[in-house]
Amino acid sequence: MDSIVVTGNGPLSGQIPIAGAKNACLTLMPATLLSDEPLTLTNAPRLSDIKTMTELLSSLGCEVSSLQDGQVLVMSSHDLDNHVADYDIVRKMRASNLVLGPMLARLGHAVVSLPGGCAIGARPMDLHIQGLEALGAEIELRDGYLHANAPNGLKGAKVSFGFASVGATENVLMAATLARGTTVLENAAREPEIVDLATCLRRMGAQIEGDGTGTITIQGVDRLGGATHPVVTDRIELGTYMLAPAICGGEVECLGGRIDLVGAFCEKLDEAGISVSETDKGLKVARKNGRIRSVNVTTEPFPGFPTDLQAQMMALMCTAEGISVLEEKIFENRFMHAPELTRMGAQIDVHGGTATVTGVERLKGAPVMATDLRASVSLLLAGLAAEGETVVSRVYHLDRGYEQVVRKFEGMGAKIERVSNR
Ligand code: UD1
């Protein structure tokens, strides 16, 4: 199994291209199931999660071609010959559940395995189910699979989400595009990935208004056509690389970066003493003089501070001056990086959903491992700032969400290497 070895060696500089968003691509790909005409996605990220979604769509009878080294995906769901999303694929990746809404809307039935437990919390699907049931679906749980049927087709309805779940909003939004009549989603998620999905669905002929706000209105249509759509920039990859010069010092330009994707995050960087400026090509990040100041962070649905940047922000806070409090409000059990950072000399106390970090002057390299994607990259960031060598194992998590991570950090001057069997 591969590891990544990183050695702290001072300030970073350079330009880093930011890829298309993993989480947008994982919901745009199942949108192909809504139409019998091809959907082409450009600016797709090259990640193992995208391969898993390709495998799942192919198992349903969808033809997926990966062009230009994986940056262009051409999908055709002309002949869907299977409506069962198998446990063996779904268990690898929770986003597999995003085939449920589109399959149900297109075929009138779908069988999708429940994703099962996840390292960062229970992550149930009750909100997805309630939303689809409001549109007239009948859903039963049998043998670990959700069996969904819409014998009379789906019918528009008002759906009020108890929590602004990203996945539930995406699943019900996709299903509603082909439902009869009008659907109103209240307390819908407002993430940029939802806006990207709605934009793509409109290109396919859907009638959607209000995406990016808490209320989305969908006027169902009889059929959707083909489209070509560029995947939005990955705001989590963007935020992660913005933290590299923040932690190590130096100045880095993140190509394709946009403030509107990372507004709440940039406010925290500013408070901490890091400057962010817009350029023609993206965002330039530089560490101002002196030590980083501690800041308090609470994760929230968009436009709040993203849970997917909490681990990386904690890595920054480990060497900040003073005490910072990080509150995790989206997922229970999302502080698994804390004990690993502690092995590098960080001072962190975790109580329930709150982590209190007392900044130390310098972290020290250590062998560490992570149990999820964002935790893994936070350990890489910490290693870049630490004295000596840090060996991060279980790097397959990183392959799920960060394309060419070693090459991108190397491009900024970091001392980093991927090794086998260490
Ligand atoms: C998506 C992102 C993930 C991100 C998360 C929150 C993708 C592929 N993944 O995950 O990277 O961390 O948004 O920004 O886009 N919940 C329920 N019932 C449900 C659905 C969710 O209780 O039916 C709970 C979850 O357990 C969790 C919270 O709601 O505590 C947020 O989940 P949700 O917004 O649905 O996240 P995902 O779509 O799974």
Coordinates of all heavy atoms in Angstrom, one line a residue, residues 22-27 49 53 93-98 120-130 161 163-170 189 191 193-194 235-236 300-302 305-309 328-332 334 373-374 400, ligand 1:
K22 N -15.1 17.3 -7.6 CA -15.5 15.9 -7.4 C -17.0 15.8 -7.1 O -17.7 15.1 -7.7 CB -14.7 15.3 -6.3 CG -15.2 14.0 -5.8 CD -14.4 13.4 -4.7 CE -14.8 13.8 -3.3 NZ -16.0 13.2 -2.7
N23 N -17.4 16.6 -6.1 CA -18.8 16.5 -5.6 C -19.8 16.9 -6.6 O -21.0 16.5 -6.7 CB -19.0 17.2 -4.3 CG -18.3 16.5 -3.1 OD1 -17.9 15.3 -3.3 ND2 -18.3 17.1 -2.0
A24 N -19.4 17.9 -7.5 CA -20.3 18.3 -8.6 C -20.4 17.2 -9.6 O -21.5 16.7 -10.1 CB -19.9 19.6 -9.2
C25 N -19.2 16.6 -10.0 CA -19.2 15.6 -11.0 C -20.0 14.4 -10.6 O -20.6 13.7 -11.4 CB -17.7 15.3 -11.3 SG -17.5 14.6 -12.9
L26 N -19.9 14.1 -9.3 CA -20.6 12.8 -8.8 C -22.1 13.0 -8.8 O -22.8 12.0 -8.7 CB -20.1 12.5 -7.4 CG -18.7 12.0 -7.3 CD1 -18.3 11.7 -5.8 CD2 -18.6 10.6 -8.1
T27 N -22.6 14.2 -8.9 CA -24.1 14.3 -9.1 C -24.5 14.6 -10.6 O -25.5 14.3 -11.0 CB -24.7 15.4 -8.1 OG1 -26.1 15.4 -8.3 CG2 -24.2 16.8 -8.4
D49 N -13.0 8.2 -7.2 CA -14.5 8.3 -7.0 C -15.2 8.4 -8.4 O -16.3 7.9 -8.5 CB -14.9 9.5 -6.2 CG -14.9 9.1 -4.7 OD1 -14.4 8.0 -4.3 OD2 -15.3 9.9 -3.8
M53 N -18.1 5.9 -9.9 CA -19.4 6.3 -10.5 C -19.5 5.7 -11.9 O -20.6 5.3 -12.3 CB -19.6 7.8 -10.4 CG -20.9 8.3 -10.9 SD -22.4 7.6 -10.0 CE -22.5 8.7 -8.6
M93 N -18.8 4.0 -2.0 CA -18.9 5.5 -2.1 C -20.4 5.9 -1.9 O -21.3 5.4 -2.7 CB -18.5 5.9 -3.5 CG -18.5 7.4 -3.8 SD -18.0 7.7 -5.4 CE -19.4 7.2 -6.4
R94 N -20.6 6.7 -0.9 CA -22.0 7.1 -0.6 C -22.7 7.8 -1.7 O -23.9 7.6 -1.9 CB -22.0 8.0 0.7 CG -23.3 8.5 1.1 CD -23.3 9.3 2.3 NE -24.5 10.1 2.5 CZ -25.6 9.6 3.0 NH1 -25.7 8.4 3.5 NH2 -26.7 10.4 3.0
A95 N -22.0 8.6 -2.5 CA -22.6 9.3 -3.6 C -23.3 8.4 -4.6 O -24.0 8.9 -5.4 CB -21.6 10.2 -4.3
S96 N -23.0 7.1 -4.5 CA -23.7 6.2 -5.4 C -25.2 6.3 -5.3 O -26.0 6.0 -6.2 CB -23.3 4.7 -5.1 OG -21.9 4.6 -5.2
N97 N -25.7 6.7 -4.1 CA -27.1 6.8 -3.9 C -27.8 7.9 -4.8 O -29.0 7.9 -4.9 CB -27.4 7.0 -2.4 CG -26.9 8.4 -1.9 OD1 -26.6 9.3 -2.6 ND2 -26.8 8.4 -0.5
L98 N -27.0 8.7 -5.5 CA -27.5 9.7 -6.3 C -28.1 9.2 -7.6 O -28.7 9.9 -8.4 CB -26.5 10.8 -6.6 CG -26.0 11.6 -5.4 CD1 -24.8 12.4 -5.7 CD2 -27.2 12.4 -4.9
I120 N -17.2 9.0 8.8 CA -17.4 10.3 9.4 C -18.8 10.4 10.0 O -19.3 11.5 10.2 CB -17.1 11.4 8.5 CG1 -17.9 11.4 7.2 CG2 -15.6 11.5 8.2 CD1 -17.7 12.7 6.3
G121 N -19.5 9.3 10.2 CA -20.8 9.4 10.8 C -21.8 8.4 10.2 O -21.5 7.7 9.2
A122 N -23.0 8.5 10.7 CA -24.0 7.5 10.3 C -24.6 7.8 8.9 O -24.8 6.9 8.1 CB -25.2 7.5 11.2
R123 N -24.8 9.0 8.5 CA -25.2 9.5 7.2 C -26.4 8.7 6.6 O -26.3 7.9 5.6 CB -24.1 9.4 6.2 CG -22.9 10.3 6.7 CD -21.7 10.3 5.8 NE -21.8 11.3 4.8 CZ -20.9 11.5 3.8 NH1 -19.8 10.8 3.8 NH2 -21.0 12.5 3.0
P124 N -27.6 8.8 7.3 CA -28.7 8.0 6.8 C -29.3 8.6 5.5 O -28.8 9.6 5.0 CB -29.7 8.2 7.9 CG -29.4 9.5 8.6 CD -27.9 9.6 8.4
M125 N -30.4 8.0 5.0 CA -31.0 8.5 3.7 C -32.4 8.9 3.9 O -33.2 9.0 2.9 CB -30.9 7.4 2.6 CG -29.5 7.4 2.0 SD -29.6 6.3 0.6 CE -30.6 7.2 -0.6
D126 N -32.8 9.2 5.2 CA -34.2 9.5 5.4 C -34.8 10.7 4.6 O -35.9 10.7 4.1 CB -34.5 9.6 6.9 CG -33.6 10.7 7.5 OD1 -32.4 10.7 7.1 OD2 -34.0 11.4 8.5
L127 N -33.9 11.7 4.5 CA -34.4 12.9 3.8 C -34.6 12.7 2.3 O -35.5 13.2 1.6 CB -33.4 14.1 4.0 CG -33.2 14.4 5.5 CD1 -32.1 15.4 5.7 CD2 -34.5 15.1 6.1
H128 N -33.7 11.8 1.7 CA -33.9 11.4 0.3 C -35.2 10.7 0.1 O -36.0 11.0 -0.8 CB -32.8 10.5 -0.2 CG -31.4 11.0 0.0 ND1 -30.5 11.1 -1.1 CD2 -30.6 11.3 1.1 CE1 -29.3 11.5 -0.6 NE2 -29.4 11.7 0.7
I129 N -35.5 9.8 1.0 CA -36.6 8.9 0.9 C -37.9 9.8 1.1 O -38.8 9.7 0.3 CB -36.6 7.8 2.0 CG1 -35.4 6.9 1.7 CG2 -37.9 7.0 2.0 CD1 -35.0 5.9 2.8
Q130 N -37.9 10.6 2.1 CA -39.1 11.5 2.4 C -39.4 12.3 1.2 O -40.6 12.5 0.7 CB -38.9 12.4 3.6 CG -39.0 11.7 4.9 CD -38.4 12.5 6.1 OE1 -38.2 13.7 5.9 NE2 -38.1 11.8 7.2
F161 N -37.4 20.1 3.4 CA -36.3 19.3 4.1 C -36.1 19.7 5.5 O -36.0 20.9 5.8 CB -35.0 19.4 3.3 CG -35.0 18.8 1.9 CD1 -35.0 19.6 0.8 CD2 -35.1 17.5 1.7 CE1 -35.0 19.1 -0.5 CE2 -35.1 16.9 0.5 CZ -35.1 17.7 -0.6
F163 N -33.5 19.2 7.1 CA -32.1 19.7 7.1 C -31.7 19.9 5.7 O -32.2 19.1 4.8 CB -31.2 18.7 7.8 CG -29.7 19.1 7.8 CD1 -29.2 19.9 8.7 CD2 -28.9 18.6 6.7 CE1 -27.9 20.3 8.6 CE2 -27.6 18.9 6.7 CZ -27.0 19.8 7.6
A164 N -30.9 20.9 5.4 CA -30.6 21.2 4.0 C -29.5 20.3 3.5 O -28.4 20.6 3.3 CB -30.1 22.7 3.9
S165 N -29.9 19.0 3.3 CA -29.0 18.0 2.9 C -28.6 18.2 1.4 O -29.5 18.3 0.5 CB -29.7 16.6 3.1 OG -29.1 15.7 2.2
V166 N -27.3 18.1 1.1 CA -26.9 18.2 -0.3 C -27.4 17.1 -1.1 O -28.0 17.3 -2.2 CB -25.3 18.3 -0.3 CG1 -24.8 18.3 -1.7 CG2 -24.8 19.5 0.5
G167 N -27.1 15.9 -0.7 CA -27.5 14.7 -1.5 C -29.0 14.6 -1.7 O -29.5 14.3 -2.8
A168 N -29.8 14.8 -0.6 CA -31.2 14.7 -0.7 C -31.8 15.8 -1.7 O -32.6 15.5 -2.5 CB -31.9 14.9 0.6
T169 N -31.2 17.0 -1.6 CA -31.6 18.1 -2.6 C -31.3 17.6 -4.0 O -32.2 17.7 -4.9 CB -30.9 19.4 -2.3 OG1 -31.2 19.8 -0.9 CG2 -31.4 20.5 -3.2
E170 N -30.2 17.0 -4.2 CA -29.8 16.6 -5.6 C -30.7 15.5 -6.1 O -31.1 15.6 -7.2 CB -28.3 16.2 -5.6 CG -27.4 17.3 -5.3 CD -25.9 17.0 -5.0 OE1 -25.7 15.8 -4.6 OE2 -25.0 17.8 -5.1
A189 N -30.6 22.6 -0.1 CA -29.2 23.0 0.0 C -28.8 24.0 -1.0 O -29.4 24.1 -2.1 CB -28.3 21.7 -0.1
E191 N -25.5 24.8 -1.9 CA -24.1 24.6 -2.3 C -23.9 24.9 -3.8 O -24.8 24.7 -4.7 CB -23.6 23.2 -2.0 CG -23.1 22.9 -0.7 CD -24.0 23.1 0.5 OE1 -25.2 23.3 0.3 OE2 -23.6 22.9 1.6
E193 N -22.4 23.2 -5.9 CA -22.6 22.0 -6.7 C -24.1 21.8 -7.1 O -24.4 21.2 -8.1 CB -22.1 20.7 -5.9 CG -20.6 20.7 -5.6 CD -20.1 21.7 -4.6 OE1 -20.9 22.1 -3.7 OE2 -18.9 22.1 -4.6
I194 N -25.0 22.3 -6.2 CA -26.4 22.2 -6.6 C -26.7 23.2 -7.7 O -27.4 22.8 -8.7 CB -27.3 22.7 -5.3 CG1 -26.9 21.9 -4.1 CG2 -28.8 22.7 -5.7 CD1 -27.6 20.6 -3.9
R235 N -14.2 23.7 -5.0 CA -14.0 24.7 -3.9 C -13.2 24.0 -2.7 O -12.5 24.7 -2.0 CB -15.3 25.3 -3.5 CG -16.2 24.4 -2.8 CD -17.7 25.0 -2.7 NE -18.6 23.9 -2.4 CZ -19.0 23.7 -1.2 NH1 -18.7 24.4 -0.2 NH2 -19.8 22.6 -1.0
I236 N -13.3 22.7 -2.6 CA -12.6 22.1 -1.5 C -11.2 21.9 -1.8 O -10.3 22.1 -1.0 CB -13.3 20.8 -1.1 CG1 -14.8 21.0 -0.8 CG2 -12.6 20.1 0.1 CD1 -15.1 22.0 0.3
E300 N -20.9 24.8 8.7 CA -22.4 25.0 8.4 C -22.6 24.7 7.0 O -21.7 24.7 6.2 CB -22.7 26.5 8.6 CG -22.8 26.9 10.0 CD -22.9 28.4 10.2 OE1 -22.6 29.2 9.2 OE2 -23.2 28.9 11.3
P301 N -23.9 24.5 6.6 CA -24.2 24.3 5.2 C -23.8 25.6 4.4 O -23.7 26.7 5.1 CB -25.7 24.2 5.1 CG -26.1 23.7 6.5 CD -25.1 24.3 7.4
F302 N -23.5 25.5 3.1 CA -23.2 26.7 2.3 C -24.3 27.8 2.5 O -25.4 27.4 2.5 CB -23.1 26.3 0.9 CG -22.4 27.3 0.0 CD1 -21.1 27.4 -0.1 CD2 -23.2 28.2 -0.7 CE1 -20.5 28.4 -0.9 CE2 -22.6 29.2 -1.5 CZ -21.3 29.3 -1.6
F305 N -19.1 28.0 6.7 CA -17.7 27.4 6.5 C -17.9 25.9 6.2 O -18.6 25.2 7.0 CB -16.9 27.6 7.8 CG -15.5 27.2 7.7 CD1 -14.5 28.1 7.5 CD2 -15.1 25.8 7.8 CE1 -13.2 27.8 7.4 CE2 -13.8 25.5 7.6 CZ -12.8 26.5 7.4
P306 N -17.3 25.3 5.2 CA -17.6 23.9 4.8 C -17.0 22.9 5.7 O -15.8 23.0 6.1 CB -17.0 23.8 3.4 CG -16.2 25.0 3.2 CD -16.5 26.0 4.2
T307 N -17.8 21.9 6.1 CA -17.2 20.8 6.9 C -16.0 20.1 6.1 O -15.1 19.6 6.8 CB -18.3 19.7 7.1 OG1 -17.7 18.6 7.8 CG2 -19.1 19.3 5.9
D308 N -16.1 20.1 4.8 CA -15.0 19.5 4.1 C -13.7 20.2 4.1 O -12.6 19.8 3.6 CB -15.4 19.3 2.6 CG -16.4 18.2 2.4 OD1 -16.7 17.5 3.4 OD2 -16.9 18.0 1.3
L309 N -13.6 21.4 4.8 CA -12.4 22.1 5.0 C -12.0 22.2 6.5 O -11.0 22.8 6.8 CB -12.4 23.5 4.4 CG -12.3 23.6 2.8 CD1 -12.6 25.1 2.4 CD2 -10.9 23.2 2.4
E328 N -17.9 21.2 14.9 CA -18.4 20.5 13.7 C -19.9 20.3 13.8 O -20.3 19.5 14.7 CB -17.6 19.1 13.6 CG -18.1 18.2 12.5 CD -18.1 18.8 11.1 OE1 -17.0 19.3 10.7 OE2 -19.2 18.9 10.5
K329 N -20.6 20.9 13.0 CA -22.1 20.9 13.1 C -22.8 20.0 12.0 O -24.0 19.8 12.0 CB -22.7 22.3 13.0 CG -22.2 23.2 14.1 CD -23.2 23.2 15.2 CE -23.0 24.4 16.1 NZ -23.7 24.3 17.4
I330 N -22.0 19.5 11.1 CA -22.6 18.7 10.0 C -22.5 17.2 10.2 O -23.5 16.5 10.1 CB -22.0 19.1 8.6 CG1 -21.9 20.6 8.4 CG2 -22.7 18.4 7.5 CD1 -23.3 21.2 8.2
F331 N -21.3 16.8 10.6 CA -21.2 15.3 10.8 C -20.7 15.1 12.2 O -19.8 15.8 12.7 CB -20.1 14.7 9.9 CG -20.5 14.7 8.4 CD1 -19.9 15.6 7.5 CD2 -21.6 13.9 8.0 CE1 -20.3 15.6 6.2 CE2 -22.0 13.9 6.7 CZ -21.3 14.7 5.8
E332 N -21.3 14.1 12.9 CA -20.7 13.6 14.2 C -19.4 12.8 13.8 O -19.3 12.4 12.7 CB -21.8 12.8 14.9 CG -21.9 11.4 14.4 CD -23.0 11.2 13.3 OE1 -23.2 12.1 12.5 OE2 -23.5 10.1 13.2
R334 N -16.3 13.7 13.2 CA -15.4 14.1 12.1 C -14.1 14.7 12.6 O -13.6 15.7 12.0 CB -16.1 15.0 11.1 CG -15.5 15.0 9.8 CD -16.1 15.8 8.7 NE -15.5 15.3 7.4 CZ -15.8 15.9 6.3 NH1 -16.7 16.8 6.2 NH2 -15.2 15.4 5.2
L373 N -10.9 11.1 3.5 CA -10.3 11.9 2.5 C -9.7 13.3 3.0 O -8.6 13.6 2.8 CB -11.4 12.2 1.4 CG -11.1 13.2 0.3 CD1 -9.9 12.9 -0.5 CD2 -12.4 13.2 -0.6
R374 N -10.6 14.1 3.6 CA -10.1 15.4 4.0 C -9.2 15.3 5.2 O -8.3 16.1 5.3 CB -11.3 16.3 4.4 CG -12.4 16.3 3.4 CD -11.9 16.7 2.0 NE -13.0 16.6 1.0 CZ -12.8 16.8 -0.3 NH1 -11.7 17.2 -0.8 NH2 -13.8 16.6 -1.2
R400 N -9.1 9.4 -3.9 CA -10.6 9.6 -4.1 C -10.9 11.0 -4.5 O -11.9 11.3 -5.2 CB -11.4 9.2 -2.9 CG -11.4 7.7 -2.6 CD -12.3 7.4 -1.4 NE -13.5 8.2 -1.6 CZ -14.3 8.7 -0.7 NH1 -14.0 8.6 0.6 NH2 -15.4 9.4 -1.0
Ligands
UD1_1 C1 -22.2 16.0 0.6 C2 -20.7 16.0 0.1 C3 -19.8 15.8 1.3 C4 -20.0 17.0 2.2 C5 -21.5 17.1 2.6 C6 -21.8 18.3 3.5 C7 -21.0 14.8 -2.1 C8 -20.7 13.6 -2.9 N1 -20.6 14.8 -0.8 O1 -22.4 14.8 1.2 O2 -18.4 15.9 0.8 O3 -19.2 16.8 3.4 O4 -22.3 17.1 1.4 O5 -21.4 19.4 2.8 O6 -21.5 15.8 -2.5 N2 -28.4 13.5 6.6 C9 -29.5 12.9 7.2 N3 -30.4 12.3 6.4 C10 -30.3 12.3 5.1 C11 -29.2 12.9 4.5 C12 -28.3 13.5 5.3 O7 -29.6 12.9 8.4 O8 -31.2 11.7 4.4 C13 -27.4 14.1 7.5 C14 -26.1 13.4 7.3 O9 -26.0 12.3 8.2 C15 -25.1 14.5 7.7 C16 -25.8 15.8 7.2 O10 -27.2 15.4 7.0 O11 -25.0 14.6 9.1 C17 -25.2 16.3 5.9 O12 -25.4 15.4 4.9 P1 -25.6 15.8 3.4 O13 -25.7 17.3 3.2 O14 -26.7 14.9 2.8 O15 -24.2 15.3 2.8 P2 -23.9 14.4 1.6 O16 -24.8 14.7 0.4 O17 -23.9 13.0 2.0

